[in-house]
Amino acid sequence: MRSPIVLALSTLVTTTLGSSSENRTLDEIYQAALKEGGVVTLWHGGDEKTQQTGLKKAFEARFPGITLNVTVDLSKYHDSNLDDQIANKNVYVDSIILQTLHDYPRWKKEGALLNYKPSEFANVAPEFKDPEGAYYGYSIFGWSTSWNPAKYNSSLADFSDALLPELKDKLILTYPNDDDAVLYAFDLVIKKLGVKWFDALIAQNPKWVRGSATPGNQLALANTSYIAAFGTGGRSTNVNTSRPTDAPFVTWPQTAAILKDAPHPEGAKLLHNYILSDEFQFATPKWTVRTDAPANFPNIFEEKNTNVTSFLPFMLDRANVERLRFWFETRLGTAQGISPLEDDL
């Protein structure tokens, strides 16, 4: 079911439709980007330095002579560094793609974002975009259940499975007080299964780590002692994944914007048109932000156990986010360990 809450909340932004969508072809924008200098600087949210290597390689192969300088870091850290750039009037980032959805309306209100509609903007679901084109989702992200089939030959799916006796001392989980999306994942489960579920989970003695991809990456190691992870990300050919059914799981539109003072606006426009294009969006069947996907693509709005629009209102309520973070911190302590970007997992 589609939620009436859209990413461009009417209480936070204007509803003027603004400019029309881009009418140049990708190749025409490509030529403009080459003349501009052939560089794009992208800050992308994530917790492994190499998470966007695939995007970089695909983009640079598609557009020879264009360099995509992409830096992956936790979105909350990108946010604060971008705020410094904006405050100091020294913006050197062209494009941002982040998990921190609550900051986009604020940046728009501050006049920091470029109102720009890529050519496929009309086909992006209205729930995922600002009507003036200041920001828009480009990919659907979400958390799942993961396990190592070499160490556990049955399937795992539900959050209640985390309490199975054979998983005691064998779970690896991300600190919910270190990542807002993981925080929301745990909040949804506790609202459905109760605090007693979380108390029982703690009694399982899981290993708590930083970074949403760290559990899945750890599970893939041949010498790992861990079997499963719940409510986190990470993908590997050695790890099976499934979607929980006994409590909601988290999905959201990872959201993109171009800085108004971007030093390479044509390069940024090329990137944003590319990531919303048919060739990128429809390369393989998966959830997509576009409403005109081929018939064999799954529809995120038809998923029964997730609400892809509910992460935004959660993120906007910062008082509640802080309260929840400290609730978990009193039980787990502060997040321990080096940055997930430096843990080599």
Side-chain angles (χ1 to χ4, degrees):
M1 180 179 295
R2 298 176 81 130
S3 168
I5 300 174
V6 297
L7 190 56
L9 292 177
S10 61
T11 57
L12 295 173
V13 298
T14 64
T15 56
T16 305
L17 292 180
S19 60
S20 59
S21 297
E22 176 65 72
N23 57 17
R24 294 176 294 175
T25 66
L26 275 175
D27 287 338
E28 288 172 335
I29 306 172
Y30 171 37
Q31 293 304 315
L34 285 172
K35 291 178 182 178
E36 183 184 65
V39 174
V40 190
T41 298
L42 166 66
W43 279 6
H44 200 297
D47 46 25
E48 297 291 343
K49 292 179 180 179
T50 59
Q51 278 176 336
Q52 296 306 319
T53 299
L55 174 60
K56 175 179 172 64
K57 289 182 177 179
F59 183 71
E60 292 179 348
R62 174 65 173 81
F63 304 106
I66 302 291
T67 298
L68 178 60
N69 295 320
V70 55
T71 300
V72 174
D73 201 349
L74 303 183
S75 292
K76 60 185 180 181
Y77 297 146
H78 274 327
D79 282 6
S80 61
N81 290 329
L82 181 59
D83 280 335
D84 285 345
Q85 289 184 41
I86 294 170
N88 295 326
K89 302 186 185 302
N90 182 33
V91 172
Y92 58 84
V93 173
D94 299 306
S95 171
I96 51 172
I97 299 177
L98 303 171
Q99 171 186 303
T100 42
L101 305 187
H102 62 290
D103 279 323
Y104 285 93
R106 174 175 64 84
W107 284 325
K108 177 181 177 171
K109 187 176 180 180
E110 293 173 356
L113 304 181
L114 180 69
N115 287 344
Y116 174 73
K117 300 177 182 179
S119 59
E120 295 294 341
F121 182 82
N123 289 321
V124 175
E127 291 88 345
F128 302 152
K129 64 188 178 185
D130 167 63
E132 292 184 306
Y135 47 88
Y136 28 83
Y138 97 100
S139 182
I140 304 299
F141 282 21
W143 299 149
S144 61
T145 296
S146 305
W147 72 95
N148 185 330
K151 296 183 179 295
Y152 193 80
N153 59 14
S154 297
S155 63
L156 294 171
D158 291 344
F159 292 105
S160 55
D161 290 340
L163 307 184
L164 291 170
E166 60 265 34
L167 296 186
K168 185 175 176 61
D169 303 319
K170 301 296 184 181
L171 295 170
I172 181 167
L173 306 171
T174 302
Y175 281 104
N177 45 316
D178 197 43
D179 183 300
D180 283 354
V182 180
L183 180 73
Y184 187 43
F186 276 86
D187 183 45
L188 289 174
V189 179
I190 291 172
K191 284 179 177 176
K192 184 67 179 292
L193 302 184
V195 174
K196 63 180 181 180
W197 171 84
F198 188 68
D199 290 339
L201 178 67
I202 293 177
Q204 290 283 72
N205 193 34
K207 171 69 174 178
W208 296 96
V209 296
R210 298 187 65 204
S212 63
T214 303
N217 294 340
Q218 179 70 50
L219 291 176
L221 300 178
N223 62 348
T224 185
S225 62
Y226 302 110
I227 292 176
F230 295 81
T232 55
R235 295 290 184 272
S236 170
T237 55
N238 300 324
V239 174
N240 288 352
T241 62
S242 63
R243 299 171 195 159
T245 61
D246 59 346
F249 62 94
V250 175
T251 53
W252 74 92
Q254 191 81 340
T255 296
I258 298 172
L259 278 300
K260 187 187 69 175
D261 295 328
H264 309 102
E266 293 297 337
K269 290 175 182 178
L270 179 64
L271 173 64
H272 284 227
N273 278 275
Y274 172 69
I275 61 177
L276 289 179
S277 69
D278 287 10
E279 62 186 274
F280 186 88
Q281 290 285 316
F282 303 150
T284 58
K286 62 183 183 302
W287 291 326
T288 173
V289 298
R290 285 179 49 177
T291 59
D292 60 336
N296 63 325
F297 274 52
N299 186 337
I300 186 60
F301 292 106
E302 295 178 356
E303 292 291 342
K304 295 181 180 179
N305 209 36
T306 190
N307 182 343
V308 71
T309 65
S310 66
F311 187 48
L312 172 65
F314 172 82
M315 291 290 280
L316 285 168
D317 189 351
R318 302 313 293 171
N320 180 58
V321 169
E322 290 300 301
R323 180 187 64 79
L324 283 170
R325 180 179 293 120
F326 290 129
W327 187 90
F328 283 102
E329 198 161 291
T330 60
R331 288 155 175 79
L332 303 176
T334 56
Q336 300 296 306
I338 62 175
S339 165
L341 278 79
E342 305 296 338
D343 64 8
D344 295 327
L345 289 175

